[in-house]
Amino acid sequence: MGYWIRQVFLLLLIISVALATLPGPSSASGAALSDVAGHWAEPYITRMVRMELISGYPDGRFGPDDPVTREQFATILCKAAKLPDPKGPPAFSDVSPERWSYRYIQSAVEAGIIHPEDYDFKFNPDEPITRIEIVVMLVRAAGLEKETAKRAQLTIFKDPIPDWGRGYVTVAVNHGLVTGRPDGTFGAYASTTRAEASVIVLRMLDPKVRPAYWYEEYKYQANSGMNTLRVVRINFNRDEIEIKPALAGTVRDVAPLKEIAEKSGAVAAINGTYFSCYPDKNPPDLWEPYNTLMIDGEWIHFTYQGTTLGITRDKQILMAPIRMHIDGYNYGVPWEAWSMNHTSPNIIGIFNKYRGATTAMTDGITFTVKDGRIVSRGGPDVPIPEDGYVIFVSNSCINEWTDRMFYVGGRPEYVVNLRTHDDKPYPPEEAAKWKNVVHAIGAGPRLVANGRVSVNPLRENITEDKQTILAANRGAVGVTQDNIVMFVLCTRMTPQEFGEAMLDLGSYNAMQMDSGGSSGLYFQGKYIVQPGRNISNALVVIEKK
């Protein structure tokens, strides 16, 4: 009897030693790994180990620079996606239920992450996995496969990407899941290290781990012709990234886009809202904006057309076809205004410090407000207090109510209410979302709404042929469902074509910015595209230190 006990014990010992040599999971913790300290991926590896999504070898090493195998990556991805146990028969002839990685590989197959036919039903589990294989699995695991049927051809990599994987690579780059190599190549058939695999999967799980910003370039065939799409992506999930409008100076100034960006300390910038840039315009409101602007919670300009992009305190992007109206009271007497920092002969409006040193008006009367009180009544051109504002009433708007609404000593209060473009109250549940907006910029038309192309300039009171039916170079801002913002310039498209392109680039919502000669894109200290003129304002990306 003792003989058989010794034989069983010996057999169990042999099995345990054999299992210890397999490259599967171990109990080594992040702190116990012997070869991770000081490695560039140390924080990512440590976090993945603590999440129990990857582990070291039985000897205490992690092997951060070792090539990751197919079965190892399938295991990491299966754990990250929290896939259920498999139920079907084995999908691969060389991955039996007795193999340590079977549960993970088979689960990935049943979840549609691994397609057995891609491997001719033989997985070769212990072979190093290529970068293109990783990208395909990753995009499927992230639920992004529907975005892979793209017309836009990514052209930023120096080396070719196989046709069958091009859509997956494009989507992975769009969402910041993978990047190219320092030499400008992608390396589709190169292996990936265990450290790189850890980072890639962590990016899928936590958007904050993805890069802060990056550049892409595409070839795109539209009916109007072949286009180059230039795209700067911004990871708005990251705490240090801020996106806001910036002015050339006052609302009556213009400057080069690069100068506006550098003055703001921006890493990226796209031209902003429409503005008056033609000397023969009448009335002469040269350089003034046409559409919405708000910076740091303070309204700078209003719009009566187009779409407005709003950025909330909690870093959400809103887009809506709205107009603004000022509703005020002065000791119970109602008053209203419909202009902010804009020159017009027939208005009641408000001028604040963004207008400049004075109101610069030629007719009408003004009421200067400081500390919430009207301190003086004056002519059309008066100084604007830094800590207050001026209420302006043009001659055509002066009537028997003027002195009841505005007088020295009065305490006017006002709120900016949102309305539709046909001047109806904005739906309360939608207006409530805008109460949290701290930055806003308007242009239009809307290009993509909730994942669908939605282009209707006339509905937004946009009537110029250039913005309704003609092909032109254009700029746009889009945002994906995972809060990746994109600044995009096209070469020559109609608004409808541009909407289709923005959807193709992954936009869930998108709107056009100013176009034509104003279109420009700045990134990391230089122009990607230089505007054909100086501009009034821009939307900038600031990386806070």
Side-chain angles (χ1 to χ4, degrees):
M1 192 70 177
Y3 170 83
W4 292 109
I5 291 175
R6 288 195 300 273
Q7 293 301 309
V8 169
F9 176 80
L10 181 60
L11 180 61
L12 290 174
L13 180 62
I14 292 171
I15 291 172
S16 65
V17 171
L19 288 175
T21 65
L22 291 175
S26 80
S27 60
S29 67
L33 296 171
S34 62
D35 56 352
V36 168
H39 193 276
W40 67 266
E42 179 184 1
Y44 309 106
I45 294 170
T46 300
R47 184 173 170 189
M48 289 285 285
V49 170
R50 288 174 178 168
M51 294 168 69
E52 298 184 350
L53 298 180
I54 194 169
S55 55
Y57 295 112
D59 63 1
R61 295 182 308 108
F62 182 79
D65 298 318
D66 294 349
V68 67
T69 66
R70 285 176 177 163
E71 62 185 340
Q72 288 173 343
F73 189 76
T75 299
I76 301 168
L77 207 53
C78 180
K79 289 180 177 180
K82 298 181 179 179
L83 299 182
D85 290 338
K87 298 179 180 179
F92 293 107
S93 62
D94 58 346
V95 183
S96 68
E98 289 74 30
R99 191 175 185 89
W100 73 266
S101 59
Y102 171 80
R103 174 255 188 272
Y104 306 107
I105 294 170
Q106 186 65 25
S107 293
V109 169
E110 294 180 13
I113 294 171
I114 297 174
H115 293 181
E117 59 272 22
D118 293 345
Y119 297 89
D120 292 328
F121 299 92
K122 189 174 182 180
F123 195 56
N124 294 315
D126 54 359
E127 283 192 3
I129 190 170
T130 64
R131 283 168 58 82
I132 190 76
E133 289 178 90
I134 281 180
V135 164
V136 171
M137 291 185 194
L138 195 70
V139 167
R140 289 170 179 166
L144 298 171
E145 189 170 20
K146 64 182 180 180
E147 295 185 21
T148 59
K150 291 179 174 291
R151 291 164 56 192
Q153 299 295 309
L154 189 66
T155 59
I156 57 173
F157 298 124
K158 296 178 180 178
D159 56 336
I161 297 171
D163 290 343
W164 60 267
R166 184 177 290 114
Y168 291 93
V169 173
T170 299
V171 171
V173 171
N174 286 174
H175 290 272
L177 299 174
V178 298
T179 57
R181 295 182 159 186
D183 63 358
T185 64
F186 178 72
Y189 293 106
S191 61
T192 298
T193 67
R194 285 166 54 83
E196 291 169 335
S198 300
V199 175
I200 288 171
V201 174
L202 194 56
R203 284 176 177 170
M204 181 187 75
L205 297 174
D206 184 0
K208 288 187 178 182
V209 179
R210 301 173 194 176
Y213 38 78
W214 63 96
Y215 178 69
E216 304 165 5
E217 201 165 288
Y218 298 82
K219 292 298 181 185
Y220 190 91
Q221 181 66 56
N223 290 335
S224 297
M226 179 61 74
N227 273 254
T228 298
L229 299 177
R230 296 174 173 89
V231 184
V232 172
R233 302 259 180 182
I234 305 104
N235 186 355
F236 205 30
N237 300 289
R238 294 181 62 135
D239 296 335
E240 73 273 23
I241 295 297
E242 182 179 18
I243 303 175
K244 61 191 298 186
L247 297 177
T250 71
V251 295
R252 298 168 64 82
D253 294 322
V254 292
L257 172 61
K258 190 171 185 283
E259 181 179 310
I260 296 173
E262 291 175 346
K263 181 180 176 182
S264 305
V267 294
I270 189 171
N271 62 287
T273 188
Y274 300 105
F275 67 102
S276 180
C277 59
Y278 300 106
D280 57 351
K281 181 166 178 62
N282 187 30
D285 58 349
L286 192 62
W287 312 135
E288 291 183 6
Y290 285 156
N291 293 71
T292 307
L293 286 168
M294 173 195 274
I295 299 177
D296 296 327
E298 188 168 3
W299 289 104
I300 297 170
H301 200 270
F302 285 169
T303 183
Y304 298 103
Q305 65 174 20
T307 292
T308 295
L309 180 152
I311 301 172
T312 66
R313 290 183 179 85
D314 56 352
K315 304 187 74 169
Q316 298 301 306
I317 303 290
L318 307 179
M319 293 184 191
I322 54 178
R323 65 187 297 180
M324 294 81 188
H325 190 269
I326 297 170
D327 293 300
Y329 287 89
N330 183 12
Y331 286 122
V333 177
W335 60 278
E336 63 177 356
W338 50 92
S339 174
M340 178 73 74
N341 289 325
H342 193 78
T343 300
S344 179
N346 301 301
I347 60 166
I348 298 177
I350 289 177
F351 295 131
N352 59 27
K353 62 183 179 182
Y354 292 99
R355 171 77 175 181
T358 71
T359 55
M361 299 298 286
T362 58
D363 76 81
I365 56 176
T366 55
F367 300 87
T368 300
V369 181
K370 295 180 68 175
D371 297 323
R373 187 172 68 87
I374 297 177
V375 296
S376 64
R377 171 175 173 155
D381 188 14
V382 298
I384 299 173
E386 183 74 18
D387 56 348
Y389 61 93
V390 173
I391 300 171
F392 171 81
V393 184
S394 64
N395 286 339
S396 61
C397 293
I398 297 173
N399 56 36
E400 66 273 15
W401 283 91
T402 303
D403 289 338
R404 291 188 59 188
M405 291 189 295
F406 310 116
Y407 50 85
V408 174
R411 290 192 172 274
E413 299 177 341
Y414 72 86
V415 293
V416 177
N417 288 318
L418 305 183
R419 303 183 70 84
T420 64
H421 281 316
D422 54 0
D423 206 25
K424 295 179 181 178
Y426 208 64
E429 65 277 10
E430 294 299 317
K433 299 177 184 177
W434 287 81
K435 297 291 186 182
N436 199 32
V437 167
V438 290
H439 306 301
I441 191 166
R446 183 72 170 267
L447 300 175
V448 178
N450 300 324
R452 295 179 180 272
V453 176
S454 180
V455 183
N456 192 336
L458 297 179
R459 186 176 59 198
E460 300 180 26
N461 294 336
I462 297 174
T463 58
E464 286 186 77
D465 286 350
K466 183 173 71 173
Q467 309 304 347
T468 57
I469 58 174
L470 297 181
N473 54 325
R474 304 178 185 279
V477 175
V479 59
T480 66
Q481 282 190 282
D482 48 0
N483 221 26
I484 304 295
V485 177
M486 63 190 87
F487 291 176
V488 183
L489 257 60
C490 72
T491 308
R492 182 176 172 79
M493 289 186 183
T494 67
Q496 178 70 30
E497 291 169 340
F498 203 19
E500 294 167 0
M502 291 300 293
L503 182 67
D504 206 38
L505 292 172
S507 297
Y508 188 70
N509 287 297
M511 58 175 276
Q512 183 178 294
M513 306 305 281
D514 196 358
S515 58
S518 299
S519 297
L521 189 61
Y522 167 93
F523 184 55
Q524 291 187 313
K526 64 182 181 180
Y527 280 120
I528 302 297
V529 175
Q530 182 173 351
R533 61 171 69 100
N534 289 345
I535 60 174
S536 162
N537 58 88
L539 190 61
V540 302
V541 179
I542 299 169
E543 186 176 22
K544 295 177 287 187
K545 303 301 182 183

